Amino acid sequence: MRSESSVKSLAVPGIFADVQAFWAVVSREWVIFIRYPSWIIALFIWPVIFPMGYILTARALSGVDGSGLTTFQNTTGLNEYVGYIAVGTMIWMWQNIVLWAVGYSLRNEQLRGTLESNWLSPTWRFSYLLGSSIPQLVSMLMLMLVSGLEYAFLFRVHFSGSLWLTLLVILAAIPSVYGIGFAFASLVITLKEANAFVFLVRGIVMIFCGITYPLAILPAWMQSVAQWLPQTYIIHGVRTAALSTAGFSAIAFDLKMLVLFGIFWLAVGYFLFNMMERRARQTGAIGQY
Amino acid sequence: MQLQSLSQPNLSSHLRALYALIRKDWKQYWRYPLNAVSSIFQPLIWIAPIYFMGQAFSVNGKALGFSQYSGTTDFMSFILLGTVLESFINAVFWGMGYALKNDMDSGVMESNWLTPIPRLLILVGHSVTNLLVTAITSLGMLILGGMVFGFHASGEIWQALLPILPMMLGLYGFGFAFAAVVMLIREANTLVDVSSFLVQIFSGSNFPVNALPRFLLPVALALPLTYGLDSVRAHLIGTKTILPLPWEMFLLIVFMVVMLWIGTTAFKSLERRVRTLGTLGQH
């Protein structure tokens, strides 16, 4: 029989208890995730249907005789649009899903009425947010794998670039994407109108980061805005790494920017979380929705 | 004077229940004003990438390639109109299936179900606010979209409303069946998102359906919404139609009758199944 002193419960705060709490959040989120089997449908269908809308519109714009496509090629210097749109929309989907899943994780607890009681437990509160992002990251890596395969086999996209360089860009992008998710989740606890903020953030990415067109088409002021968004570098980096043979030197700048943005957004996410969490407790807004 | 309460169900009590449902949803919707504002901007944001992409395919703002399929070089008016109609279509999708899921999550589904109100009325009530809100936001979207992207409609607006009526009523039938499926599987997001997105693609909300690859064209032609969108566009911006307009109208009326019948039958049967399983209060 174990002695009473060896029992490590959550009531004895410490690193071990924090890790236990973190793992409990990860397990709970994973159970909730697989509880609704429709995620399997989403995993296979979204990568196909989301870019399809834009690809088919581009097909219609090309015209029956391809005259529109010739104009497109003259304007952008691109030979084909399918792979270009597929990669751009996939990155957008990633950020969008993170905003909904990670950004909503605390808000969902607020709506279910469990946030306040969880908050009273003697755990590191950031672990609720961090823990909910781990199953999400796993599901997103699965989504990217499925997307790549579907683009190659269904859309006949020719990935002539390097798999390792593509993975490197994705790895460098993770801190930025999830840092934005953390910052977003923190804002939502207090401001509550989560939908509006998801729409705003994903809308900015959609308009400014060139998911379906080269940035050169945008007016100069919009191009300036795009330079301040990490997704611009993710999209450019993944397109270059996966669709061209330009090599590491062509993505070096994107990687550098993503590392800088990653540090910035993780710091902003953590800072905002602490600030908003404190504010919500002071105003008593934790349990409200 | 005789009091007519909800415990003595009749037409008047049903109407009051409907009014209460609409008022509750209306109040809840406007309680979050930022969400309301974003619903005007959101569809415009979705079509912004198409606008910029379209510029790359156009010469002096005219999409000549696009006109070979649609009969108009003004691709943004084509898309803006499709987006507005799609918002109404989604209002029925979301308005019923998604509202039921919200009721399940907030724990009021079972208690609402115990009230002596026809269950289809609960579904209709949930969709009315959505339709009202969609009408307001669509107007805002057309004005704003017209200013940003340009919108030029030269046709007869009253004639354009004619195909909308059977199309929307038919959608109610579809919405009833869909809501019942949501009750059964207790998950709405993926179903709603995927199905509305697929319908949006195949009914030609953003492009003329004859631009679809040949093997996908039958899917578009099998959807009655395709003819609804096609008719409205032909009336308002003079695009080429897939079938002659009277034929499209006839198909929409058939769709309305068939879908209302299938929808109500499916809803009644699945709703009974959910009650038998005892899963009404679960989510």
Side-chain angles (χ1 to χ4, degrees), chain A residues 217-241:
Chain A
I217 283 178
L218 294 175
W221 71 270
M222 290 180 80
Q223 291 184 38
S224 306
V225 174
Q227 286 172 3
W228 292 96
L229 301 168
Q231 292 80 5
T232 304
Y233 302 96
I234 306 174
I235 292 172
H236 182 262
V238 175
R239 270 183 189 145
T240 311

Side-chain angles (χ1 to χ4, degrees), chain A residues 49 52 56, chain B residues 174 194-205 207-229 242 251 255:
Chain A
I49 64 170
M52 206 160 93
L56 289 170
Chain B
F174 187 86
V194 171
S195 53
S196 60
F197 210 87
L198 279 174
V199 168
Q200 192 176 332
I201 288 176
F202 288 111
S203 59
S205 138
F207 55 86
V209 291
N210 48 5
L212 280 166
R214 194 165 287 182
F215 72 98
L216 289 175
L217 194 57
V219 182
L221 297 180
L223 283 176
L225 299 178
T226 306
Y227 305 105
L229 290 170
I242 305 164
L251 283 174
F255 162 71

